[in-house]
Amino acid sequence: MDIGFIGAGKMAGTLMEKVDDFDGAEITAVCDIDEDAARAAAEPRDAAVYTDHGELYEEEPLDAVVVAIPPFAYDDQVTLAAERGIDVFVEKPVALKPEQGRATLETIEDAGIVTGTGYVFRYDEITEKALELLADREIAMLTGRYWSGLLASPWGNELELSGGEIVTRTTHVYDLVRYLGGDVERVTAASTDRIATPEIDYPDATTATMKHENGIISTVSSAVTSPEWTAELDVVGEDVHLHLDYTTQELTGTIEDEEVHFELPTDRYGNEIHGFLEAVRRGEPAHVRSDYADALRTLSLNWTVIDAAETGEPAIVGETRRS
């Protein structure tokens, strides 16, 4: 399979290495507005170099393309691929704003292409094990957190370029809450700017409480002033409490008075890319755990949280001014 890349930054580089490891896939073209970055990624792979994605699509007979660019850079990279019948993997978030993503989704659905997205925690073995342990049990509540330092890229400091911490990083935990607990119906949220973070124009900490369509409740908190990276999810239900730690890839907890402890190191990025490539090769979307439509629902939830925190009013997912 001939694979193209749009974007040649840090995340793209990680995903390129995983494509390199997949038997039967070859990166044949790399596109980035920074020609030096594109060339540095392309030359070791004997791939073609482009600075315009429209030209890439015109010149290259691709089976699939991986789009790994900053949120503000999304334009028609995905729609042009869909119109040509090219399968697409999109790094999260799949758009900056949900409205843009919905327009793209219409083209994707009309074309019937395979899509995959970068909600990488779905591919951790601790997530798989948790789903297995919870299969026959009712869940009552989920509570998650993503705490870290400031984003490394300057564009990450501006809400209207990145979506802030919630859209760029904590989105992974919001996605897990949806993956294990189902879609969210209603959100209340609060945020604070108590810590000196003049670099950013959005809150330094936010907490959301959510009511899911199936009656489950959940909470997610994010912070950008922590000296340590924390990405965790707790699940409480029928005779069960599970704690999933995505920093150590450990699953601990109690089921019917029996302690459980699993250490399951996983190549999460390899799993997500290889799942997508297998779906492309076989034409079977089931190998993908988060397609574009599903990722768009997480993005809509993210912006609903941002709005609810800003207004201090409860919000229905998909009905706020930004979702």
Side-chain angles (χ1 to χ4, degrees):
M1 296 182 293
D2 292 338
I3 312 299
F5 263 77
I6 297 176
K10 181 179 179 181
M11 179 52 66
T14 297
L15 299 179
M16 286 180 194
E17 292 175 359
K18 304 308 176 183
V19 173
D20 292 339
D21 292 339
F22 188 85
D23 187 28
E26 180 182 2
I27 297 171
T28 57
V30 179
C31 178
D32 196 288
I33 59 172
D34 182 339
E35 185 174 357
D36 290 339
R39 192 171 304 282
E43 285 186 346
R45 299 173 170 88
D46 196 26
V49 176
Y50 294 90
T51 57
D52 179 85
H53 61 272
E55 183 181 353
L56 176 147
Y57 289 133
E58 290 292 337
E59 298 294 331
E60 299 292 330
L62 300 175
D63 296 294
V65 63
V66 176
V67 180
I69 57 179
F72 67 85
Y74 283 109
D75 187 12
D76 58 358
Q77 295 90 348
V78 179
T79 56
L80 287 180
E83 288 169 355
R84 287 163 172 77
I86 300 170
D87 297 328
V88 185
F89 180 93
V90 189
E91 183 50 50
K92 62 82 205 148
V94 294
L96 177 57
K97 298 289 183 66
E99 182 178 358
Q100 178 189 32
R102 284 191 287 269
T104 301
L105 180 60
E106 289 183 10
T107 306
I108 287 171
E109 292 179 336
D110 288 343
I113 63 169
V114 172
T115 61
T117 69
Y119 280 104
V120 70
F121 286 169
R122 293 192 181 205
Y123 293 86
D124 277 54
E125 287 188 41
I126 60 171
T127 307
E128 294 182 38
K129 178 59 70 173
L131 288 169
E132 176 187 324
L133 296 173
L134 294 166
D136 299 321
R137 300 178 185 278
E138 291 289 340
I139 296 174
M141 180 177 69
L142 303 103
T143 182
R145 61 210 63 86
Y146 195 113
W147 303 340
S148 190
L150 292 171
L151 289 154
S153 302
W155 53 261
N157 296 336
E158 298 184 42
L159 185 69
E160 292 302 318
L161 293 180
S162 66
E165 165 71 9
I166 289 174
V167 171
T168 55
R169 295 197 297 202
T170 311
T171 187
H172 284 296
V173 177
Y174 282 103
D175 187 69
L176 284 173
V177 162
R178 287 189 54 250
Y179 193 44
L180 273 68
D183 278 320
V184 173
E185 180 179 67
R186 187 172 67 253
V187 174
T188 59
S191 59
T192 180
D193 285 308
R194 290 184 57 85
I195 310 301
T197 51
E199 301 93 334
I200 60 177
D201 65 0
Y202 50 84
D204 54 55
T206 302
T207 296
T209 300
M210 294 162 282
K211 185 69 174 289
H212 294 243
E213 293 175 358
N214 55 17
I216 292 172
I217 59 171
S218 62
T219 64
V220 173
S221 64
S222 60
V224 297
T225 60
S226 172
E228 298 178 346
W229 176 45
T230 301
E232 300 175 334
L233 182 69
D234 284 275
V235 186
V236 177
E238 180 186 354
D239 295 321
V240 61
H241 170 211
L242 299 181
H243 176 75
L244 293 84
D245 188 332
Y246 288 88
T247 59
T248 63
Q249 298 191 317
E250 290 183 82
L251 169 62
T252 56
T254 304
I255 299 177
E256 295 182 349
D257 298 324
E258 294 289 332
E259 291 188 4
V260 295
H261 186 181
F262 299 94
E263 297 182 16
L264 300 170
T266 310
D267 179 6
R268 52 173 68 114
Y269 293 105
N271 285 354
E272 71 169 359
I273 281 292
H274 291 182
F276 169 70
L277 293 175
E278 195 65 34
V280 172
R281 177 158 65 185
R282 297 177 179 270
E284 298 175 357
H287 291 279
V288 171
R289 297 180 188 174
S290 175
D291 63 10
Y292 194 96
D294 194 78
L296 188 56
R297 290 196 289 275
T298 294
L299 180 64
S300 183
L301 172 59
N302 293 156
W303 281 103
T304 302
V305 170
I306 292 168
D307 269 9
E310 185 178 301
T311 65
E313 298 292 333
I316 303 298
V317 177
E319 295 185 4
T320 60
R321 59 193 174 93
R322 285 169 166 155
S323 64

